[in-house]
Amino acid sequence: MSTVRRHDAALYAATGVPGFDVVAGGGLPKGCITVVFGGAGSCKTIFAAQTLAHGARHEAEPGLFVAFEESPQRIAANTAAFDWRLDRNGADVEVLDAQLGATVVQGGDFDLAGLLAIVASRVKARGVRRVVFDGLDVMLGHLPDARLVRREVFRLREWAQGAGVTTIITAKADPRDRGSLGDYDFLQFLADCVVVLQHRVEHGTAFRLLQVSKHRGSNHSADEVPFTLGSGGIDLGGATRLELRHDASIERTSSGISALDGMLGGGYFRGSSTLITGAPGTAKTTMAAAFANACAARNERTLFVSFDEAPAQIVRNVASVGIDLKPHLASGVLQIHSFRSRAANPETHVGRIRSLLEQHSATSLVIDPISALGQSGTEALSEGAAVGLLDLAKSLGVTTVCTSLLGNQAPLSEKSPIGISTIADTWMHVSYMSHGGERNRALTIVKSRGTAHSNQVRELILSNTGLALPDVYSVGGEVLMGTLRWLKENEQRRHAETSEREASLREREAEFRLAEVKARAQAALAEQALGEAALERIRLDRQSEVQRNASEHQMLRERRGAEESTEPVSGKSP
Amino acid sequence: MAVLRLCLYVAGDSPNSVAAERNLRGLLASYPGVRADLQIRDVLVDPEGGLAARVLATPTLVKVAPAPEARVMGDLHDLDLLRSVLGLVELGLVSPEHGPR
C-alpha cells in the first residue's frame, strides 16, 4: 500500500531529502500543513528550505519562503553550503522578509490576515505550490495570549487549505521536553503531518535525529531516524539504504580469513553485523582486525573503534600475526579511534561512534569490544545503546564486526553478556578447549543468518603469517586439537616408524645371536684344535717313551748279553 | 505647526483593524492642534502595497513623518503607548485631560 502511495504524486509532495519520503510513507501531504518542530540548531529551516528548493527545481512546484526569524540574506548565507542554495533573488524560490524589525512596537491584538493577503498575492502571481512559514512562533509570540495564537494558526490553516498549497510551518520546541510546546502544542493536532527534529550534543559529539510523529492517512515510520548534514543538505541516507538492503545483502564481503569465508559461504553479508564472543586472549581483536584489513585493502572506508586499547597497541599486536594496518592508516582509508570505556556513558559512546561513522563515511565498522558499553551505566542502558548502535550501522548499510568479552567459566554455554546476539546476523564464539594439558582456541559459528554455515568446531591457529582454521580431527565424537591433534595426525607415521625400528632391532638382535653362535663355534673349533694338539703331544710322548724303554732294554741285554745270547728266545733254559 | 503623517494598514473590516482605526482617530481627535495626515490602506485590496511597506501583521500603524519612522502593530488600545510612539508629548502638545497650557 505504501508503495503505491510513495509514487502517488497527487497525494504526496516529494521533499528531495534523501530517505525522508520513504520514512514519511511517500512525502509531505500535498496541499496540507506540515509542522516541523525542533530546538535551536536542529535544522528546521534547512529541512524546509531543502523541500522548497527541490519542489521548485525538480517537481515544477515554485516556492515561497516566508522568513519570520532571519533575513533573506541570512537564509542565503545559511544555505550557501548546499547544492541547492536559496539565493535572495532566486527566480524559483522567493524569500519574503517577514522579520518584524526593531522599530515595531507591539500594540495589542493583531492578525495575519494582511500577511496572508500578501502571500496569496505572491502565490497567485508566481504560481507557487509550496510555502514555508519559517519561525512562525517568532511572529505569534507577540500576540498577548494563547487564545489569539490559536486563532491565527486556524486562520493560516484555513488559508492554506483554500489555496491548496503544500505548507510547511516551522516552530521552535524542544521535543525531549513534552511540556515545552506550550502554546504550540495544538499545532500537532491541527497539522496533517508533524516532523520532529532533534539535535543533541553530548560530550562534544553532535547527533541529529528526525521523527515523523504524525502523518495522517499514511503508514509512515514513527522511528527516530538519524540524519546527517552534507553538501546535499539533510540526508537520511540510511533509511533509503534500508529499503535497498535486500539487494545489497546478497553481496558477500571477505572476513579477511579465507578459511572463515569458506565456512560462512563466502564471507559476511555486506551491511550485516557480526558478533565475535570469547574469553580474553581468544584472538577476537585479531579476527576483527583481519576484517578491517581486508576491507581497507579493497579501498573501502573503514572505522575501527577500540575501547581501552590504544591504536598503536592494536597495530603492533596484529602486526605480529601478519596483519599490517599501517599502510591503510597512512592512506586514510582506515581510521582507528580508541576510547576509555568508563570515560562516558554508553549513549555518549554510541553518539561518538555515530558521528565518526558519518565523518569518515565508513562502509565497514569494527567495535572492539562492544561489551565495553556495558562497563558504565545501567545494564538496560548499555544493552539499548549496543543494540541501537548495531541498528544504526545496519540502517546505514555499514558492515559491522564487533567483539564481546565473555568469561570462560562456561565456555560451551555461549551466553552473550548483552543481548546483542539476537540482533547480530552472524555470531561466532571462540573458546579455549583445555585437554591433554594445554589450552587451544576453538571457533564455532553459533549462527549465521541466510548462510549454510559450517557446524563444525574449528581450531583457530595464530601464526606470524596470519590466522588459519584447519579442519579438525574428531575421534569418538571429540574434537582433537593442539598436541592431541598433532598426535592423531602423526599416529600413522609414528606407528610405521615404530614397526620399522622394532624390525631393525629384531634383525640386529638376530645378527647378534648368530654372531654369538658363530663365535661360540669358533671357540669350540679352537678348543678342538687345542684338544687335538694335546692328544697329538700325548701320543708323541708315549711313542718316544716306548722307544726309550725299548732301547734301554736292549742296552741292558747287551750288557748281560753273552750268556743270554745262547739262550735266546726259548726261555726254557734251566 | 508640525504635520503628523500616518499610514494605517488594515485587513478589510476585521475586528482589530476596525478597533485600531477607531482608537487612532479617537486619540487624534483629542489633539485638535495637531495636523494629522492619516491614510488607511487595506492590504486585502492592495497586498503588493503591503509587501512594499513590509507590513506583516494587520493592523499596523506606520508613522511616516516626522522622522524617525515608527510602527505599532495591533489594535492600538493602549493610548499611552500610542501617544509615546507618535511623539505627541515631544511635539509639545498636551492631551485634553490636562487642558491647554
Side-chain angles (χ1 to χ4, degrees):
Chain A
M1 227 164 93
S2 64
T3 319
V4 177
R5 283 185 170 150
R6 197 161 299 150
H7 303 292
D8 196 339
L11 280 173
Y12 295 99
T15 57
V17 175
F20 179 83
D21 297 349
V22 175
V23 173
L28 298 181
K30 224 170 205 185
C32 299
I33 293 181
T34 296
V35 176
V36 181
F37 286 116
S42 63
C43 300
K44 300 182 297 291
T45 300
I46 290 167
F47 178 85
Q50 194 172 346
T51 302
L52 214 56
H54 177 79
R57 289 161 202 176
H58 303 283
E59 307 283 333
E61 296 197 342
L64 176 64
F65 193 99
V66 183
F68 291 112
E69 205 169 0
E70 292 170 303
S71 67
Q73 291 92 326
R74 286 285 302 167
I75 302 280
N78 291 351
T79 60
F82 306 118
D83 303 338
W84 44 262
R85 55 182 300 171
L86 291 186
D87 293 321
R88 197 190 166 187
N89 300 311
D92 41 12
V93 176
E94 182 180 6
V95 182
L96 203 150
D97 188 353
Q99 293 180 108
L100 285 175
T103 57
V104 177
V105 177
Q106 200 276 323
D109 177 29
F110 64 90
D111 60 52
L112 297 179
L115 174 80
L116 291 174
I118 293 168
V119 169
S121 167
R122 300 312 299 157
V123 165
K124 197 180 168 193
R126 296 183 51 252
V128 167
R129 303 304 308 147
R130 298 184 184 192
V131 178
V132 168
F133 294 95
D134 187 42
L136 185 66
D137 54 310
V138 172
M139 169 64 91
L140 297 187
H142 287 90
L143 281 169
D145 66 69
R147 185 181 52 84
L148 299 178
V149 170
R150 207 163 306 182
R151 183 193 69 195
E152 290 315 301
V153 172
F154 275 109
R155 189 192 304 275
L156 201 156
R157 183 174 77 155
E158 202 173 307
W159 171 82
Q161 285 173 344
V165 296
T166 307
T167 305
I168 300 172
I169 297 171
T170 76
K172 262 191 297 301
D174 186 347
R176 277 173 297 176
D177 179 7
R178 289 195 166 271
S180 77
L181 290 175
D183 293 346
Y184 301 96
D185 196 25
F186 69 96
L187 261 174
Q188 296 196 73
F189 302 103
L190 184 140
D192 301 284
C193 178
V194 175
V195 177
V196 179
L197 299 175
Q198 278 191 64
H199 178 221
R200 289 192 212 150
V201 179
E202 280 176 15
H203 297 262
T205 298
F207 49 97
R208 303 173 182 280
L209 297 171
L210 180 148
Q211 182 199 18
V212 180
S213 68
K214 173 183 176 179
H215 198 175
R216 263 181 202 144
S218 159
N219 58 345
H220 67 284
S221 161
D223 292 343
E224 283 186 343
V225 182
F227 70 88
T228 57
L229 266 187
S231 60
I234 294 176
D235 190 339
L236 282 72
T240 328
R241 281 195 280 277
L242 184 67
E243 290 283 308
L244 297 170
R245 220 180 133 239
H246 180 69
D247 298 330
S249 65
I250 299 163
E251 198 186 331
R252 297 278 189 170
T253 179
S254 174
S255 66
I257 306 163
S258 59
L260 185 58
D261 290 346
M263 288 175 81
L264 289 166
Y268 307 133
F269 277 128
R270 198 171 283 280
S272 74
S273 53
T274 299
L275 175 67
I276 303 169
T277 56
T282 46
K284 298 182 299 296
T285 301
T286 310
M287 287 178 72
F291 167 71
N293 186 46
C295 292
R298 289 191 305 270
N299 215 21
E300 292 170 11
R301 301 186 73 76
T302 306
L303 176 66
F304 193 118
V305 177
S306 168
F307 286 102
D308 307 315
E309 196 175 4
Q313 221 176 334
I314 293 165
V315 171
R316 182 201 63 198
N317 292 351
V318 300
S320 69
V321 288
I323 299 168
D324 188 7
L325 299 177
K326 274 184 195 146
H328 306 315
L329 285 171
S331 75
V333 73
L334 172 70
Q335 280 189 4
I336 303 181
H337 293 270
S338 296
F339 301 125
R340 279 180 210 284
S341 58
R342 285 170 207 278
N345 66 43
E347 292 290 347
T348 306
H349 283 312
V350 171
R352 276 182 184 172
I353 295 168
R354 186 197 300 262
S355 54
L356 284 173
L357 267 179
E358 288 167 1
Q359 283 162 22
H360 190 46
S361 311
T363 56
S364 306
L365 170 68
V366 169
I367 302 162
D368 180 47
I370 199 166
S371 47
L373 292 174
Q375 291 182 1
S376 54
T378 66
E379 198 174 312
L381 184 63
S382 63
E383 178 162 344
V387 169
L389 183 58
L390 290 191
D391 203 41
L392 167 81
K394 271 192 192 183
S395 72
L396 293 172
V398 173
T399 314
T400 310
V401 170
C402 49
T403 67
S404 181
L405 198 63
L406 194 56
N408 214 32
Q409 293 87 0
L412 295 171
S413 69
E414 291 159 359
K415 186 176 167 287
S416 182
I418 38 185
I420 50 174
S421 58
T422 52
I423 195 171
D425 297 299
T426 299
W427 178 13
M428 293 183 287
H429 183 72
V430 189
S431 60
Y432 278 127
M433 287 216 168
S434 184
H435 205 69
E438 33 177 84
R439 282 149 69 90
N440 298 297
R441 299 180 180 96
L443 182 136
T444 325
I445 299 172
V446 183
K447 75 163 184 183
S448 187
R449 285 181 185 141
T451 305
H453 62 86
S454 166
N455 290 328
Q456 239 189 352
V457 176
R458 296 278 191 117
E459 180 171 9
L460 179 63
I461 295 174
L462 297 175
S463 69
N464 55 10
T465 54
L467 290 149
L469 289 159
D471 291 326
V472 284
Y473 273 92
S474 73
V475 170
E478 198 182 355
V479 169
L480 295 183
M481 52 182 62
T483 306
L484 286 177
R485 159 232 218 17
W486 182 83
L487 284 172
K488 185 68 192 171
E489 271 178 352
N490 291 292
E491 197 173 308
Q492 211 71 23
R493 192 159 44 88
R494 286 167 57 81
H495 186 72
E497 277 175 8
T498 309
S499 316
E500 171 65 23
R501 270 203 302 276
E502 281 174 357
S504 89
L505 188 62
R506 274 199 301 276
E507 188 186 329
R508 253 179 288 158
E509 275 173 2
E511 279 169 5
F512 273 127
R513 253 179 269 127
L514 183 65
E516 197 182 331
V517 170
K518 278 182 180 168
R520 252 188 251 136
Q522 270 180 329
L525 280 173
E527 214 168 328
Q528 185 191 355
L530 277 172
E532 282 170 352
L535 184 65
E536 185 70 12
R537 203 169 59 233
I538 290 166
R539 278 192 186 138
L540 288 171
D541 284 354
R542 194 158 153 235
Q543 223 172 356
S544 58
E545 181 82 7
V546 169
Q547 282 172 353
R548 193 175 65 237
N549 284 349
S551 65
E552 277 177 4
H553 183 71
Q554 187 62 35
M555 275 167 55
L556 193 58
R557 266 191 66 176
E558 280 175 3
R559 244 177 267 144
R560 294 175 10 183
E563 334 103 45
E564 294 231 349
S565 60
T566 56
E567 229 185 313
V569 194
S570 69
K572 284 178 185 176
S573 65
Chain B
M1 185 170 274
V3 176
L4 202 54
R5 281 180 54 211
L6 304 173
C7 193
L8 180 67
Y9 291 86
V10 297
D13 54 0
S14 74
N16 43 30
S17 289
V18 170
E21 188 179 342
R22 188 181 60 234
N23 289 333
L24 180 61
R25 285 193 189 282
L27 183 73
L28 292 174
S30 65
Y31 288 87
V34 173
R35 227 190 95 201
D37 173 14
L38 173 64
Q39 285 185 34
I40 308 292
R41 291 181 186 168
D42 189 344
V43 181
L44 300 190
V45 175
D46 179 19
E48 296 296 330
L51 178 63
R54 288 193 61 243
V55 167
L56 306 163
T58 44
T60 294
L61 172 65
V62 180
K63 184 196 75 169
V64 183
E69 187 192 277
R71 292 178 175 226
V72 187
M73 183 175 78
D75 59 14
L76 310 177
H77 69 277
D78 186 344
L79 296 181
D80 284 336
L81 176 78
L82 189 57
R83 268 193 286 270
S84 159
V85 171
L86 295 182
L88 292 175
V89 180
E90 284 81 356
L91 282 169
L93 303 162
V94 289
S95 67
E97 287 95 312
H98 297 98
R101 206 169 266 174

